Each structure stands twice: as C-alpha cells, then as structure tokens.
Amino acid sequence: MNLMRLSTLSLVPFLVTTAVAQTLPQSKPATSYGGVQVSNLGNCAQFPVTLCVPLDNTFTVVPFLQGNPCERNDDGSAIQQLTGWSFDFYGTPFSSLWINNNGNVSFGLPFSAFSASPFPIASFPMIAPFWGDVDTRGDVGTDGAVWVREWSTMSGDAVNRLVVTWDHVGYYDSLTDKLNTFQVILTDGNDPLIGLGNNVCFCYDDMQWTTGDASNGVNGFGGVPATVGANQGNGTDFFQIGRFDQPGAAYDGPAGNPDGIDFLDGTRFCFDVSLGGANNVPPVYVNPPSMFTTTVGTQLNFQVDAIGPESGQTVTITNDAGALAHFVASATPGNPASSVCAFTPDATQLGTHIIRFTATDDGVPPAATLHTVTIFVGPAGTIGVSECGPNGVNSTGRPATMWATGSTTLSANLLTLYAADLPAQSFGYFIAGTGASVASMPGGIVGDLCLAGAVIGRFAQTPLNTGGGSTVSMGIDLTALPRPVGGAISALVGEAWGFQYFYRDGAAAHFSNAVRVTWL
C-alpha cells in the first residue's frame, strides 16, 4: 500500500486526545511533580549496566526542561536533533525526534501518554523499547535517569548513531522498589554494532516492573500492559515484540497473552523499520548468539530463536550446516520459533565454522531474515576467550583462527599460541595488548586490530612461516614478556591480555581473531 507521509499535520491534537482517553484508566495531577518531595536533585549517578552500548560519562541527561540537574520528571519529552544524518522510519526520513520519558521516541510531536496500547494504532508514530509509565522523581539513591548520546560522521565519528538509555528508572507514582534498565539504538542502517541493514535495536539489562499506579498497576504489575515495538501511525504498519504485565519469563509471541517482564532480561532485538509501505516485517531474532569458542571433543549447545512481529504468523528456522559433520539442529516452527543446536567437533575440524540461519515467516509475501553464527574450534586444553572475529577470509577461503593452550596461572608458565587456516608459505607475528577494542584498518589490511591499551608488538624478531602447512604456533615465556613498562611478573596478576596474529597473504596483510587471557 502507499505509505501515508508522516508530518505534524497528520498528528492533529484531536487524534492524540482521543487515543489517550481510550487508554488511560486514571488521571494525574497537572503539576509536574504532583507534590512529591524529591531529595538531592543533583545526584545523577550512572549505575553499572550490561547493554549493547555501555553507559559512560560521554552520555548526557536528556533535557526534559524540568528545572533540576537530573531532569527528574513524569511524562516529560525533549526534542533531539540529528547532526548531519536522518533516521528512516517506514520510508520517511526524520532529522529530529522526541525522546519521551515513558520509554519511547516519537516523530512529529512529543508523546506523554503513560498507559500503553497494543500496536497498530492509527496515530502516534513511535519506537518503543518499553512504553510504560516511567517516573524518575523517586529517591535518587536508588532511582536513575534518562541519558542520550549521538555519534555522527559529520562530527568525525565512524557511524551515525543515537542511543537513549533509561538507567534504573522507577514507575509512577515516584516508586523505586522495582527498577527497569533498557536502551534504544537508532542508526542510518550502516552501523555494524546492530547489524548492517538494521536501523533499530532494543537492548535490556534487568527489567523489574511493567505498570504504574495510574494505569491500574499494583506494586508495579497488572493493569494496562506495557508495549514493546514500533508503530508507523497509519493503523496498518507496525512491529510488536509483546505486551508485558506480570513478573516471570512467560512469553507466547507478539500477539498472544500478556507476557512476563523477566523475558526481556538481558535480551536484544535488532531490526529494520525503513521499509516504506511494507506490511509484512521480516522475522526478528531474539537475543541471537553470534560467536562461540569450543574445543575438540567438547559438545557445544546453543539455541536460536526468532519471532514474527505480526499476529497470526508462523516462523520457521533453517540453517545451511548440512555438510558440517557432528552438527545437529532440531527446529520447532511457531511464534516464537526455535532451533536447538549441538556441535561436537573432532580433531579434523580445528578452525572457524560459519553457520547461517534463516528465519522465514508465512506472511504475504513471506519474509526472511538471515543470522550468522561463528564457531571457533581449538584443540583440547584451549584457554582464554575468543573475540573480535572472524576477521575476513584469506586466499584459503576462510578467516584465520587463533587460540591458546596451556595455563593462565603465571607460575605454570605454559602458554602456547596457535593460528590456523593460514595460506601456505605465509609469514606473520603474534602480537599482544593490555586492553580490548576494535579498530578498522586502512586499505591493504584485511580485518580489525582487536587490541588496545599498551600494544606490546610482536613476540619474535623473525616472522613465523607456515611452510607447506596452514598452522603456526609459539610458546610464550611469561617470565620474559616484553612488557610496555618495567615490573616483576607478579604485576601481571589480574590483568587481561589480548593476543592476535598478524600475517601476509600475497600483497595483503591480515589480522586473525583475538584471544583474551586473564592472568591468575
């Protein structure tokens, strides 16, 4: 169908008034604080959270214009301009949006409704990681705030990205016995953090409540369920993950019974809402695994889940691992759909294995979403955690894989580094660093530098050579590590070191994945 163009003219006050009246069981005081006493408004502490983008001091409090340093409020909104880029929402580009305290961002107008409706709605263009009655006016010793940060290529950043984080926020009326922490990421579709082609991601830490008192909630539950999803505003195009009104992890899909808030704990949902006029949104993976490290003879078990964000659909998950020995998958169609997988590699399967999963719905026409899982297989006795990879294929048609064996105990002095899936007659070095990051390399270098902090450099004066094979290895003497600063070996205890292999493949240079080891 032709997409109705979003504008402030299409969001007339009558529509807002009508929809809110249908969903609000109670009214609230007209004053911003409703007589509630708030102590120490200047304490805007950030809490430790586990989210897609860590909350740090580069974020600022969303300017809800409440007249206090922490912008503590109930039902507030703040406009956010994008710097030199636009966000594509169902085919319409927006260079600004509204951040609303009640767990959503809206387009065209601010949005103060605190009781959520199921999607679709014939108004209210919004993206809602958690549309519920957020209230940050409680005791600042336990209650958090709402934070925002933008990345922009115009400002010299590598990506265009806006992140809004609701950090340990309470619920109406100024209650903090239960707190929610969640995040929405908006991009221009070119941000590898959430997957190229996606432009939205919802990320959750600990979620503890669903409903405020003015929405008929009792102790944070019951009453009007909170809504998670996106709504174009034309009454047709929408995206819904679910509605939540109770404790526990019960979940039966986007349009079934109301669900348990604990289902969202630690999950992420990344998807695309730039599809103008597309009534069938492709399936979305639920907190999908992306990378594993395992060893020969050890069974690896994992599960891939996906939902179709429209009601009445059935999703089926398939994979392309038919030729991978010792891998089995049992798929269960539904909404949500699942694929339960097991892989027990043998000694012939050292290196990198890539499995592509496809989730397909039965919409009209059907829509599908691809997800890739990478498995690193090392020999028995592998130590450390593999990260930052795979790092681009070489002339063998596979990415180089690195692992470590031995012991992380310094006194044992038994660390050996390996790199496999290398071209014959290739030269390279093992390198190390005391920090972790991902840095894109200039042209002529394939893959990312995965080390940060004090990058120590190579361990050998002469390069290693694969000869006619595809693997190199090197034992590391922990008593003679080329430390970036002087000090005894005992100073390493508690440090996490990353190791990576840097090698030549013809005219190009390559990086392997990295392995991180914490010294004991």
Side-chain angles (χ1 to χ4, degrees):
M1 61 175 291
N2 292 328
L3 185 68
M4 179 184 71
R5 184 173 180 83
L6 300 181
S7 68
T8 55
L9 295 177
S10 66
L11 293 175
V12 293
F14 173 78
L15 286 177
V16 175
T17 302
T18 302
V20 172
Q22 292 173 344
T23 59
L24 302 189
Q26 301 180 29
S27 60
K28 291 184 176 181
T31 58
S32 175
Y33 280 83
V36 175
Q37 296 298 314
V38 184
S39 61
N40 189 16
L41 292 174
N43 182 6
C44 302
Q46 295 174 340
F47 295 80
V49 296
T50 303
L51 292 168
C52 298
V53 178
L55 183 62
D56 58 27
N57 60 10
T58 64
F59 282 72
T60 58
V61 176
V62 175
F64 292 116
L65 302 180
Q66 294 299 301
N68 66 80
C70 297
E71 300 291 345
R72 301 196 178 281
N73 76 100
D74 177 50
D75 303 336
S77 298
I79 195 165
Q80 174 74 37
Q81 302 289 337
L82 302 179
T83 305
W85 62 285
S86 61
F87 177 78
D88 193 344
F89 188 56
Y90 285 102
T92 299
F94 287 90
S95 58
S96 66
L97 52 89
W98 289 87
I99 300 173
N100 303 304
N101 195 62
N102 288 331
N104 61 78
V105 299
S106 58
F107 302 90
L109 286 176
F111 187 60
S112 62
F114 50 84
S115 288
S117 299
F119 295 152
I121 313 171
S123 55
F124 305 154
M126 71 156 70
I127 295 173
F130 184 80
W131 178 14
D133 199 356
V134 174
D135 188 343
T136 59
R137 301 172 299 164
D139 184 338
V140 296
T142 56
D143 192 13
V146 186
W147 303 82
V148 63
R149 184 188 173 187
E150 184 196 28
W151 287 253
S152 170
T153 55
M154 178 175 284
S155 303
D157 298 309
V159 296
N160 293 316
R161 176 196 300 158
L162 181 75
V163 179
V164 184
T165 300
W166 286 259
D167 177 27
H168 287 73
V169 294
Y171 60 100
Y172 188 82
D173 187 8
S174 300
L175 298 169
T176 60
D177 61 304
K178 301 176 183 69
L179 301 170
N180 285 348
T181 300
F182 56 97
Q183 182 177 81
V184 62
I185 303 171
L186 306 181
T187 77
D188 61 0
N190 297 301
D191 187 348
L193 175 69
I194 67 172
L196 297 179
N198 292 326
N199 67 350
V200 179
C201 200
F202 297 161
C203 306
Y204 301 88
D205 192 89
D206 188 21
M207 302 290 287
Q208 300 178 352
W209 63 267
T210 65
T211 316
D213 288 359
S215 304
N216 291 341
V218 177
N219 295 324
F221 298 112
V224 179
T227 299
V228 174
N231 182 63
Q232 193 274 350
N234 60 5
T236 302
D237 295 315
F238 73 104
F239 177 105
Q240 184 165 291
I241 289 171
R243 305 197 74 208
F244 299 85
D245 72 349
Q246 59 193 279
Y251 183 75
D252 62 354
N257 297 317
D259 303 302
I261 191 63
D262 295 323
F263 169 77
L264 295 177
D265 288 349
T267 61
R268 71 184 187 277
F269 303 85
C270 301
F271 51 93
D272 178 30
V273 291
S274 66
L275 305 173
N279 292 329
N280 184 26
V281 179
V284 174
Y285 290 93
V286 180
N287 204 32
S290 58
M291 185 184 303
F292 294 103
T293 298
T294 190
T295 59
V296 170
T298 301
Q299 181 168 303
L300 172 67
N301 299 294
F302 63 95
Q303 183 168 323
V304 177
D305 299 300
I307 63 171
E310 295 96 354
S311 60
Q313 290 189 346
T314 298
V315 177
T316 302
I317 301 176
T318 58
N319 67 75
D320 66 353
L324 181 61
H326 313 300
F327 176 84
V328 294
S330 176
T332 302
N335 199 0
S338 65
S339 180
V340 179
C341 306
F343 179 43
T344 309
D346 64 20
T348 68
Q349 295 178 302
L350 292 172
T352 305
H353 303 276
I354 298 175
I355 304 173
R356 296 172 180 84
F357 291 84
T358 302
T360 307
D361 64 28
D362 59 354
V364 181
T369 306
L370 176 70
H371 178 70
T372 299
V373 173
T374 301
I375 303 174
F376 296 104
V377 179
T382 295
I383 61 174
V385 177
S386 179
E387 58 188 18
C388 187
N391 246 325
V393 299
N394 54 41
S395 59
T396 68
R398 304 178 72 180
T401 302
M402 185 188 157
W403 65 87
T405 63
S407 173
T408 59
T409 301
L410 287 170
S411 60
N413 199 14
L414 291 174
L415 182 71
T416 302
L417 305 177
Y418 295 83
D421 297 323
L422 298 168
Q425 304 300 333
S426 67
F427 294 87
Y429 297 91
F430 287 105
I431 60 176
T434 58
S437 70
V438 179
S440 298
M441 294 289 99
I445 300 180
V446 179
D448 299 322
L449 175 64
C450 308
L451 311 178
V455 177
I456 296 168
R458 65 195 190 189
F459 282 102
Q461 294 300 313
T462 58
L464 303 173
N465 186 359
T466 55
S470 62
T471 303
V472 296
S473 63
M474 183 178 185
I476 304 299
D477 184 357
L478 301 181
T479 66
L481 284 174
R483 305 217 54 210
V485 294
I489 187 173
S490 59
L492 292 174
V493 173
E495 285 190 5
W497 278 40
F499 298 91
Q500 199 168 6
Y501 192 64
F502 181 66
Y503 65 100
R504 303 290 303 187
D505 182 15
H510 288 248
F511 281 109
S512 72
N513 63 301
V515 172
R516 188 151 302 278
V517 174
T518 300
W519 301 115
L520 306 177

